[in-house]
């Protein structure tokens, strides 16, 4: 099975990361056509399925050249985001906090972001487990990515909204969330895909 590059250089890494950020952000922005940014109770399983489908199809265009059976990436995301939409965790990629107070935005952003990263990474691990060595590292990367990105984005959105009184401030905060998540997970993927699975590595 040869779906990954065995000798990546810095230029290749940066190219992949930039593509990953671009398609992830594009997927998020396109999803806003069908999903209205709101609070947790406003978004459910249907929005989760739609958002998961759009984001994962966008990412699939980059990932399909690097892993086999990449269609599983789409399947897993639709399933996981749908389930998350039914749980108290909520669709945090499209959710803004009710409060403009920055302290709870930061504290709960870390906690809830880590929860979301864990839920997503379990499904993503299932896709990557036969493609890379030590796929458990992806779970750590995902938890860190969302645990760092969500409080930063919520804080940024809160500051903008306090300064302008416009809801758009929180939307831009979510754009920042997806940018940070895409950047960090893109870096993690380059590190994981560096090592192809060979016989005897199981």
């Amino acid at each position: 099975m040869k779906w990954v590059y065995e000798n990546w250089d810095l230029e290749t890494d940066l190219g992949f990361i930039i593509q990953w950020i671009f398609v992830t952000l594009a997927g998020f922005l396109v999803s806003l056509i069908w999903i209205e940014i709101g609070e947790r109770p406003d978004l459910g399983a249907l929005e989760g399925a739609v958002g998961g489908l759009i984001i994962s199809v966008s990412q699939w265009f980059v990932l399909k050249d690097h892993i086999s059976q990449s269609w599983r990436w789409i399947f897993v995301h639709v399933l996981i985001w749908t389930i998350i939409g039914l749980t108290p965790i909520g669709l945090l990629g499209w959710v803004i906090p009710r409060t403009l107070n920055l302290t709870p935005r930061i504290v709960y952003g870390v906690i809830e972001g880590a929860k979301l990263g864990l839920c997503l990474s379990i499904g993503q691990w299932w896709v990557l487990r036969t493609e890379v060595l030590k796929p458990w590292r992806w779970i750590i990367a995902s938890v860190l990515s969302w645990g760092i990105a969500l409080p930063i984005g919520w804080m940024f959105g809160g500051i903008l909204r306090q300064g302008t009184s416009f809801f758009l401030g929180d939307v831009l905060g979510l754009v920042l969330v997806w940018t940070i998540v895409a950047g960090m997970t893109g870096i993690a993927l380059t590190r994981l895909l560096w090592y192809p699975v060979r016989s005897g590595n199981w």
Side-chain angles (χ1 to χ4, degrees):
M1 174 173 27
K2 185 175 179 58
W3 288 86
V4 294
Y5 301 120
E6 296 188 17
N7 295 299
W8 281 19
D9 55 23
L10 180 60
E11 183 178 351
T12 304
D13 285 353
L14 288 175
F16 179 90
I17 294 167
I18 291 171
Q19 290 180 57
W20 188 254
I21 293 173
F22 175 78
V23 298
T24 302
L25 276 181
F28 170 67
L29 294 175
V30 170
S31 74
L32 297 183
I33 297 174
W34 291 277
I35 302 176
E36 182 178 352
I37 300 296
E39 298 174 352
R40 289 193 209 201
D42 302 328
L43 304 175
L46 178 60
E47 289 82 4
V50 171
L53 177 64
I54 295 172
I55 295 289
S56 60
V57 168
S58 300
Q59 293 176 336
W60 172 83
F61 281 103
V62 174
L63 207 56
K64 65 184 176 65
D65 295 326
H66 304 287
I67 65 172
S68 60
Q69 297 183 318
S70 55
W71 59 268
R72 295 184 300 174
W73 187 263
I74 299 173
F75 169 78
V76 160
H77 275 82
V78 172
L79 178 62
I80 296 292
W81 278 113
T82 301
I83 294 173
I84 289 175
L86 294 171
T87 68
I89 295 176
L91 305 179
L92 296 180
W94 294 269
V95 162
I96 59 170
R98 295 181 179 180
T99 179
L100 289 179
N101 190 321
L102 298 184
T103 300
R105 280 182 173 235
I106 295 171
V107 173
Y108 286 105
V110 171
I111 297 171
E112 299 303 301
K115 289 180 183 177
L116 177 62
L118 179 61
C119 292
L120 289 173
S121 65
I122 291 173
Q124 294 162 342
W125 168 86
W126 180 74
V127 177
L128 295 173
R129 64 191 172 88
T130 58
E131 306 288 339
V132 301
L133 296 179
K134 301 178 181 178
W136 54 264
R137 293 177 297 170
W138 176 255
I139 297 177
I140 296 175
S142 180
V143 170
L144 286 175
S145 297
W146 281 99
I148 291 171
L150 199 63
I152 292 176
W154 278 359
M155 179 181 65
F156 178 74
I159 292 172
L160 286 182
R161 194 167 177 185
Q162 287 177 7
T164 64
S165 298
F166 289 133
F167 180 74
L168 180 61
D170 266 321
V171 176
L172 293 177
L174 289 178
V175 170
L176 180 59
V177 169
W178 282 100
T179 302
I180 295 173
V181 167
M184 293 184 68
T185 54
I187 292 171
L189 278 172
T190 62
R191 301 279 71 81
L192 289 172
L193 295 175
W194 190 290
Y195 302 99
V197 172
R198 299 185 180 89
S199 59
N201 290 147
W202 298 95

